[in-house]
Amino acid sequence: MKHTIFTGAATAIITPFTEEGIDWDAFGRLIDYQLAGGISALVVAGTTGEGSTLTDKEHEDAVVFCVKRVAGKIPVIAGTGSNNTAHAIERTKTACRAGADAVLLVTPYYNKTTQRGLIASFSAIADASDVPCILYNVPSRTGLNMLPETLAELAKHEKIAAVKEACGNLSQVAKERLLCGDNLDIISGCDDQIVPTLSLGGIGVISVIANMLPKETSEICTCFFNGDVQGAAAMQLKLLSLMNQLMIETNPIPAKAACAAMGFGKNLLRLPLVPMEEGNRQKMLQQMRDLGLEVNE
C-alpha cells in the first residue's frame, strides 16, 4: 500500500569516480557524512549521481553499496528511470532486488512522449516494481512537462507514491496539490523552492546542495514543520547564493567540483559532462567558505 517514503531533506548524492570506475572509498565517506548530518533519505544513481552514464553493473553495485552502508538507518531511493521503458523496468527490478526502499523515475527524455504515453510508461514500470515509485518531472532537462491532470491519473496507481517536482512553476505545483490531494506526496526538486513547496503541502526536498550541507538543508525542513516558517525562509535565503551557483553549469558539474574540494573523491565526470569552468568554481568555493565549509583548492 502507499506510504510516505520520507519527510524532510533527501540528498541526490553524487557518484565519485576514479579513472577506472566508482570511487568506493569516497562514496562511502560521503554517505557517512550524509548520515552524520541527519539527512532523511538518499537518492543514488539519479541525475546528480550521473546514473545515465553508469553501466548496468555499476548501477546495481552502487545501489547495493549504498543500501549496505546505510544499513537501514534511512531510506535508499534508486534512480531507475530511462527514456526506454523496458530498460527502466529492468533497472527497477534490479534495484528492488538490491534492497532499495523506493525508485525514482524521470519522465522519458529525447524521444519524449504524449501525456497518455506517460501514463502508460509509468504504469508499466510501477506494475513491475516491488517498492514505491517517485515520479520525476524536470522539463528543463527532458523537454517534457508532466501535467497536473496526468499526475492525478497516475496517483491512482497503488505503487506511485510521490512526485519530485522540478518544473519550477509554483502555480503548477499548487494545481498538482489540488488535483492529487493526499493521494500523492509532492517533493521539491528545486533547492531554491523548498519553503514555497512545503507551504503548498510538500513533504520535503530531494536536494543537490545537501551533498555539501546535509545538516543545514535538513534544518530548513525541520524548522518549517515545527511551525517556524520565517526561520525556514531565513535559512533558505542564507543558502540561496550557493544553491544558484550549483546550477550555474549543468548539474552535477558544480556539485562534483564542490564535493571534490571537500575531499570526497576527484573532480571527475563522465562525458558529455566536463569539469566546471575555473572562474565559476572559484566563486563557488568562496561561497562555500562563507558558509563555514572547509575546502581545498
Side-chain angles (χ1 to χ4, degrees):
M1 298 298 294
K2 283 190 180 180
H3 68 282
T4 293
I5 300 159
F6 73 93
T7 58
T11 303
I13 196 167
I14 67 156
T15 305
F17 293 130
T18 66
E19 289 77 1
E20 288 75 36
I22 296 176
D23 184 339
W24 298 111
D25 174 71
F27 196 28
R29 289 186 289 106
L30 182 57
I31 292 169
D32 293 346
Y33 177 66
Q34 300 300 312
L35 293 173
I39 211 70
S40 297
L42 288 176
V43 176
V44 61
T47 303
T48 309
E50 298 176 75
S52 60
T53 58
L54 297 178
T55 67
D56 287 340
K57 178 68 163 55
E58 286 175 328
H59 185 278
E60 180 178 4
D61 288 348
V63 177
V64 168
F65 182 88
C66 192
V67 168
K68 289 183 177 178
R69 192 79 171 207
V70 166
K73 295 180 182 72
I74 56 174
V76 172
I77 302 159
T80 60
S82 172
N83 67 331
N84 177 349
T85 302
H87 191 215
I89 288 172
E90 287 307 309
R91 280 201 164 181
T92 296
K93 289 180 176 178
T94 299
C96 291
R97 290 193 297 268
D101 298 286
V103 293
L104 180 68
L105 307 170
V106 70
T107 55
Y109 41 87
Y110 185 67
N111 48 3
K112 301 163 69 174
T113 186
T114 63
Q115 298 297 307
R116 287 194 305 114
L118 284 177
I119 293 169
S121 180
F122 282 139
S123 296
I125 303 168
D127 286 343
S129 180
D130 296 329
V131 298
C133 301
I134 303 172
L135 308 185
Y136 181 16
N137 189 37
V138 57
S140 64
R141 297 186 77 104
T142 64
L144 174 63
N145 184 30
M146 182 162 44
L147 298 179
E149 293 82 1
T150 303
L151 263 181
E153 184 63 29
L154 285 163
K156 298 174 184 177
H157 196 293
E158 64 178 6
K159 285 290 176 54
I160 295 176
V163 61
K164 176 187 176 184
E165 186 51 83
C167 68
N169 184 343
L170 291 171
S171 294
Q172 180 169 324
V173 175
K175 190 171 183 181
E176 291 167 2
R177 180 67 174 155
L178 177 67
L179 294 181
C180 298
D182 294 333
N183 206 29
L184 192 77
D185 286 334
I186 296 177
I187 302 164
S188 177
C190 300
D191 280 341
D192 62 349
Q193 294 183 2
I194 300 172
V195 173
T197 300
L198 296 181
S199 75
L200 290 168
I203 57 93
V205 61
I206 293 177
S207 170
V208 175
I209 198 172
N211 277 280
M212 288 66 72
L213 294 163
K215 181 175 180 289
E216 291 80 358
T217 310
S218 295
E219 285 177 351
I220 294 173
C221 298
T222 300
C223 240
F224 185 94
F225 293 142
N226 287 340
D228 184 6
V229 177
Q230 288 187 336
M235 283 189 282
Q236 166 126 40
L237 294 174
K238 180 180 179 181
L239 303 184
L240 187 60
S241 293
L242 181 56
M243 288 173 173
N244 290 337
Q245 192 68 12
L246 287 167
M247 297 296 151
I248 199 73
E249 295 182 35
T250 304
N251 178 49
I253 290 171
K256 184 64 73 77
C259 286
M262 293 177 66
F264 296 116
K266 297 180 179 180
N267 187 19
L268 289 176
L269 301 108
R270 288 185 173 171
L271 290 171
L273 300 184
V274 294
M276 194 175 192
E277 292 183 14
E278 186 59 21
N280 288 336
R281 191 179 77 93
Q282 288 299 328
K283 182 178 179 180
M284 180 184 68
L285 294 182
Q286 187 56 54
Q287 290 172 340
M288 292 169 68
R289 293 187 191 99
D290 291 344
L291 290 169
L293 291 171
E294 292 185 11
V295 297
N296 300 313
E297 291 294 332

